[in-house]
Amino acid sequence: MSDVETDAKCPYDLGGNLRTKSRRSLAVVTAAILALLAPVTATADAIPAARSLVATAAEDRMANTGLVQEIGDKPSKFHALPEESQVSPQSDCTETKRNLKVLRESGQKQVVCFEWQTREEFAETRGLSSSSTVVWCGTQSANQVWVTRDSICSVRGVVIVIMDTTTGVVYGKAYGAVEQEIDTQNAIPEFFEYMKFDLYTADVATEGMTVEVKATCSLDTSCQQSSGPWDAPRPIVAGGSIDGTFTRLWPSTPAGNKSFLISYVMTVNVNGLWGNTKWGGNGDPGDGQYLVRCDFQVSAYAGCVVPAFTPTFEVSTKYPQARAFVGMVQASMSTHPGWEGHGQPLHRESSEIAATLNRAVVCDSTFTPNASTPPPVQCDEWPFAKSKESGRQFGVTSGTQCQQYSVVSQTIDGKVYVSLTWPGANQGKMPPASAKCARASMPKVQNEGVGGDLGRKTTEWRLLENDAYWVDAGQP
């Protein structure tokens, strides 16, 4: 496949990838293989947008690309990042109990500490509340970080505990939740975060309670963060909520990139008693998971993404023979390259020199176009030449060592059928599973069509060197 990188000024659709079923020729390819390669239909439920985060100066540019992210917009594809500490609540109250003597000697009679609820505890707490979530992951499991390529989302249950410093007795508790949604834009080096704190219920007086959140996105000036509405104590009472937005900017440098690991400290004051809790940082809930990367390396504009999300490149049904080729190789090759749930993802090869060498090995002088392939004909290689999984990078020295395929055209009863075939297909034989690559005699329009789509997605997802991505060719 000849992947061509494109300028970010070209419009493309971030969410318009719903899969549709297509018809394939039955010539040569068996019914079993057709069933294997049959595409899947995906659907997406939408959550009404609550507010726009896009800065005024960038609105026109983002409107041109159709990539404006709204708070609460539920993406069609997302996944949860693994989080280790889910067995029991994370609590700084344990540390507070160890320091009761020091606190007493400092003159404090009572102290505020925090507990992070388990998913089960928070589900019960939220069930007692009439408050509804705004962020797009609000209906997903709480106390997890959910990501797409352009968004990070979480809802965490927190318990505010008031403790006696003399006896360690708990006077009361207040139950709440922190909602967060970070949204990046792939054509501007800015990213935005909506945060909401709900105080569901309390068995202590909450009049006079205030909440303050400080976020750190970098220890230097590489992340410029607005002061925002969270930088000063804000009043809240049981049954209430407060919200606000952080705006962050990366002052981009040509050909550079920078990752920002965001951490948070929340301070609560209850009638003169105060305490704080942290998340996102080392050893805290959500450790290392609020990560955004900005770059100026894949398009005419700098932009930002969430690198923890591995996107999926869908081989379009507009190119049925190329799609069948990729799907057949993924299914028949023992390593199942790029097939999610079966093999490992592909990784971007950003070096033009390496990609040219990859292509020169797989599509070397031993390649002969099939006379039945609709012209003009090209050598189509898999995995992509612009991937770290190209056959050359796995020791292949000639395309003769790859699986061999051809797109052929046949006329039956006056009707033209175009299909994918390989040596031994008529005898029901499969291509060698141990092969490390594949090549096909492919119509140019199919080969370059898929390659162009991959180049545009490389730009949209801001895939840098060695970034991973899956490839969907319609396997069930």
Side-chain angles (χ1 to χ4, degrees):
M1 304 284 172
S2 174
D3 51 333
V4 181
E5 296 187 16
T6 60
D7 187 85
K9 289 180 282 189
C10 297
Y12 38 77
D13 181 13
L14 178 63
N17 295 322
L18 298 183
R19 303 168 193 163
T20 57
K21 294 188 176 181
S22 65
R23 298 176 61 188
R24 290 198 183 93
S25 168
L26 296 180
V28 182
V29 184
T30 64
I33 293 174
L34 282 175
L36 177 66
L37 299 178
V40 185
T41 300
T43 59
D45 297 324
I47 296 178
R51 71 181 68 225
S52 174
L53 290 178
V54 181
T56 302
E59 284 181 347
D60 290 342
R61 185 188 305 169
M62 298 311 300
N64 288 336
T65 60
L67 297 175
V68 177
Q69 172 73 30
E70 301 282 347
I71 286 296
D73 281 351
K74 187 174 181 180
S76 59
K77 293 182 180 180
F78 53 91
H79 65 234
L81 299 183
E83 189 160 327
E84 296 179 359
S85 52
Q86 288 296 337
V87 177
S88 61
Q90 298 226 358
S91 170
D92 65 1
C93 289
T94 302
E95 182 68 20
T96 299
K97 288 180 179 179
R98 286 197 290 262
N99 293 304
L100 289 179
K101 181 179 179 181
V102 175
L103 293 169
R104 285 196 306 271
E105 291 175 351
S106 68
Q108 295 188 61
K109 295 182 179 180
Q110 297 175 349
V111 67
V112 173
C113 60
F114 298 83
E115 295 177 349
W116 292 97
Q117 293 182 298
T118 63
R119 295 170 191 162
E120 293 76 19
E121 290 170 333
F122 181 56
E124 182 177 351
T125 299
R126 188 158 58 174
L128 299 174
S129 169
S130 60
S131 179
S132 61
T133 58
V134 175
V135 296
W136 62 258
C137 63
T139 57
Q140 305 303 313
S141 296
N143 292 16
Q144 281 187 277
V145 175
W146 298 84
V147 295
T148 70
R149 193 64 178 179
D150 62 358
S151 188
I152 304 172
C153 187
S154 66
V155 179
R156 295 184 179 275
V158 64
V159 184
I160 302 165
V161 181
I162 300 176
M163 186 181 298
D164 184 275
T165 59
T166 301
T167 63
V169 171
V170 173
Y171 281 143
K173 296 182 177 181
Y175 298 84
V178 179
E179 297 181 38
Q180 295 173 256
E181 182 176 330
I182 298 172
D183 293 309
T184 66
Q185 313 297 334
N186 86 335
I188 56 173
E190 295 180 76
F191 53 105
F192 312 88
E193 177 174 8
Y194 172 75
M195 182 178 291
K196 182 183 179 207
F197 179 70
D198 292 291
L199 188 61
Y200 292 145
T201 184
D203 54 16
V204 293
T206 56
E207 289 77 9
M209 178 184 288
T210 63
V211 175
E212 178 182 7
V213 176
K214 290 188 179 296
T216 301
C217 59
S218 69
L219 299 178
D220 55 21
T221 59
S222 60
C223 180
Q224 298 176 1
Q225 180 174 282
S226 66
S227 57
W230 283 105
D231 282 358
R234 300 176 64 183
I236 190 170
V237 296
S241 65
I242 53 179
D243 67 353
T245 300
F246 292 103
T247 300
R248 301 180 177 104
L249 169 68
W250 175 55
S252 56
T253 57
N257 69 83
K258 182 75 173 181
S259 294
F260 302 106
L261 183 58
I262 309 170
S263 60
Y264 307 86
V265 178
M266 181 170 70
T267 301
V268 173
N269 189 311
V270 185
N271 297 317
L273 304 175
W274 66 274
N276 57 50
T277 189
K278 300 182 291 183
W279 69 98
N282 185 34
D284 300 322
D287 181 357
Q289 296 185 334
Y290 298 88
L291 180 67
V292 170
R293 186 187 70 199
C294 300
D295 77 88
F296 203 164
Q297 294 179 280
V298 296
S299 73
Y301 298 120
C304 304
V305 294
V306 179
F309 180 80
T310 301
T312 299
F313 172 69
E314 181 176 357
V315 182
S316 175
T317 55
K318 293 188 299 182
Y319 311 112
Q321 282 74 49
R323 181 177 167 95
F325 167 56
V326 173
M328 183 63 200
V329 179
Q330 286 183 317
S332 62
M333 196 179 289
S334 61
T335 55
H336 310 299
W339 188 6
E340 187 172 7
H342 299 266
Q344 297 299 313
L346 301 189
H347 297 81
R348 187 192 173 204
E349 174 57 75
S350 62
S351 168
E352 291 289 346
I353 295 175
T356 299
L357 291 173
N358 291 342
R359 193 172 291 112
V361 168
V362 174
C363 291
D364 60 7
S365 60
T366 64
F367 170 74
T368 302
N370 190 303
S372 296
T373 303
V377 182
Q378 290 182 343
C379 174
D380 191 359
E381 75 280 6
W382 178 263
F384 299 124
K386 280 195 171 181
S387 73
K388 297 292 185 182
E389 288 67 31
S390 175
R392 183 187 74 87
Q393 300 196 29
F394 279 80
V396 171
T397 57
S398 171
T400 57
Q401 299 163 3
C402 303
Q403 293 183 351
Q404 310 294 317
Y405 295 86
S406 292
V407 172
V408 295
S409 175
Q410 301 177 71
T411 301
I412 302 175
D413 296 331
K415 188 172 182 179
V416 177
Y417 293 87
V418 180
S419 60
L420 181 74
T421 187
W422 58 91
N426 288 328
Q427 291 78 43
K429 295 180 180 179
M430 296 291 286
S434 60
K436 298 177 181 178
C437 56
R439 66 184 184 184
S441 178
M442 182 71 62
K444 177 181 177 181
V445 66
Q446 300 262 334
N447 184 31
E448 293 188 353
V450 174
D453 285 352
L454 178 62
R456 284 182 284 276
K457 287 299 182 181
T458 295
T459 298
E460 178 183 321
W461 295 327
R462 308 200 72 90
L463 294 175
L464 300 186
E465 170 73 5
N466 209 41
D467 273 0
Y469 61 97
W470 299 104
V471 178
D472 177 7
Q475 299 93 327

